[in-house]
């Protein structure tokens, strides 16, 4: 499974990239606002650190505005992926950009038919938000499984990018159902190589060795 980091924080991106297994980055308007920085400059900084896909999200809600914003964002770096919402205008913009060979990440996906439609429109990535479904008492993993089945049934090549990951168990479940990618907050990436028995086992080995 590919691993992206879900942040616009440069220190977090550098630390995750240092692990040597980071495949890409996702950002969103809330994450950029949290940093209090210029959007385009920050995207350029991120693309200097990570050579894989870096998603930059538009804030226009209608087709033409989305395309104009996308055209500006695409000038930043060759690994920019345009992030659009799973709305009717987002779908049309996805089709326009994908037909031009632009990589598109369709975000805010909460039901399987949105995923099917954006695959038909040629999206490079679809982002189902599993944590936000869990937050309201639903089953986010069920959505990931449904999209996997639909994509496999018809050979859609859009990659499933599981998003809104809250904890390591989400990642285990995503890997088990065949999510292509997961985008993960730094806090959860930091937990991925941790187990208390690894730490206590290593301490015991070193203590025995030193005796
Ligand atoms: C994905 O691209 C989104 O930025 C992100 O995963 C949203 O997660 P949240 O529900 O924790 O805000």
């Amino acid at each position: 499974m590919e691993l992206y980091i879900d942040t616009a924080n440069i220190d977090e991106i550098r630390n995750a990239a240092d692990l040597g297994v980071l495949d890409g980055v996702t950002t969103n308007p809330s994450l950029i606002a949290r940093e209090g920085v210029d959007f385009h400059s920050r995207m350029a900084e991120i693309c200097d650190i990570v050579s894989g896909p870096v998603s930059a999200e538009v804030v226009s809600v209608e087709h033409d505005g989305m395309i104009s914003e996308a055209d500006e964002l695409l000038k930043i770096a060759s690994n920019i992926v345009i992030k659009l919402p799973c709305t009717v205008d987002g779908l049309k913009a996805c089709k326009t950009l994908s037909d031009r060979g632009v990589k598109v990440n369709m975000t805010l996906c909460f039901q399987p038919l949105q995923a099917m439609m954006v695959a038909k429109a040629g999206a490079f990535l679809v982002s189902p938000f599993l944590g936000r479904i869990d937050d309201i008492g639903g089953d986010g993993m069920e959505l990931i499984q449904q999209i996997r089945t639909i994509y496999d049934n018809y050979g859609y090549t859009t990659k499933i990018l599981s998003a809104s990951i809250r904890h390591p168990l989400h990642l285990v479940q995503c890997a088990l159902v065949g999510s292509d990618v997961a985008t993960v907050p730094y806090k959860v990436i930091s937990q991925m190589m941790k187990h208390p028995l690894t730490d206590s086992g290593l301490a015991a080995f070193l203590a025995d060795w030193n005796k």
Side-chain angles (χ1 to χ4, degrees):
M1 186 167 68
E2 289 179 58
L3 177 68
Y4 291 6
I5 187 167
D6 191 35
T7 186
N9 182 278
I10 290 295
D11 290 337
E12 290 183 349
I13 292 168
R14 281 216 176 88
N15 289 341
D18 279 350
L19 296 174
V21 294
L22 186 70
D23 299 298
V25 180
T26 53
T27 64
N28 65 41
S30 302
L31 293 171
I32 296 284
R34 194 176 298 166
E35 296 299 311
V37 292
D38 175 72
F39 178 32
H40 283 225
S41 321
R42 179 50 57 96
M43 294 315 300
E45 276 182 86
I46 296 172
C47 291
D48 277 345
I49 300 169
V50 178
S51 59
V54 174
S55 291
E57 186 161 345
V58 304
V59 289
S60 297
V61 294
E62 42 80 34
H63 173 275
D64 293 355
M66 289 176 181
I67 301 301
S68 307
E69 270 191 69
D71 284 337
E72 290 306 309
L73 290 168
L74 289 166
K75 291 176 189 163
I76 295 173
S78 58
N79 53 331
I80 286 282
V81 171
I82 302 300
K83 204 171 175 192
L84 306 171
C86 279
T87 58
V88 169
D89 279 73
L91 177 73
K92 291 177 185 171
C94 174
K95 176 74 176 147
T96 302
L97 292 169
S98 301
D99 284 352
R100 277 170 41 186
V102 173
K103 288 183 173 170
V104 175
N105 173 1
M106 294 303 289
T107 192
L108 292 167
C109 173
F110 290 98
Q111 54 108 333
L113 294 179
Q114 290 175 316
M116 189 176 81
M117 294 291 269
V118 305
K120 288 172 70 64
F124 171 60
L125 294 162
V126 65
S127 294
F129 276 32
L130 70 100
R132 291 195 193 186
I133 294 176
D134 290 359
D135 288 346
I136 58 163
D139 182 355
M141 280 316 302
E142 187 185 15
L143 173 61
I144 309 292
Q145 275 171 319
Q146 287 172 330
I147 299 172
R148 179 75 281 154
T149 301
I150 291 169
Y151 281 11
D152 290 348
N153 282 349
Y154 297 99
Y156 293 129
T157 55
T158 301
K159 290 185 182 185
I160 303 171
L161 194 176
S162 296
S164 189
I165 300 284
R166 298 275 189 263
H167 47 69
L169 183 57
H170 271 156
L171 285 176
V172 174
Q173 292 169 328
C174 284
L176 288 172
V177 303
S179 179
D180 300 292
V181 193
T183 189
V184 186
Y186 183 66
K187 178 175 163 268
V188 178
I189 289 182
S190 309
Q191 295 172 279
M192 289 177 73
M193 284 297 290
K194 297 275 186 204
H195 195 283
L197 290 179
T198 304
D199 296 339
S200 59
L202 181 60
F205 284 156
L206 295 179
D208 289 343
W209 179 260
N210 288 328
K211 281 180 211 160

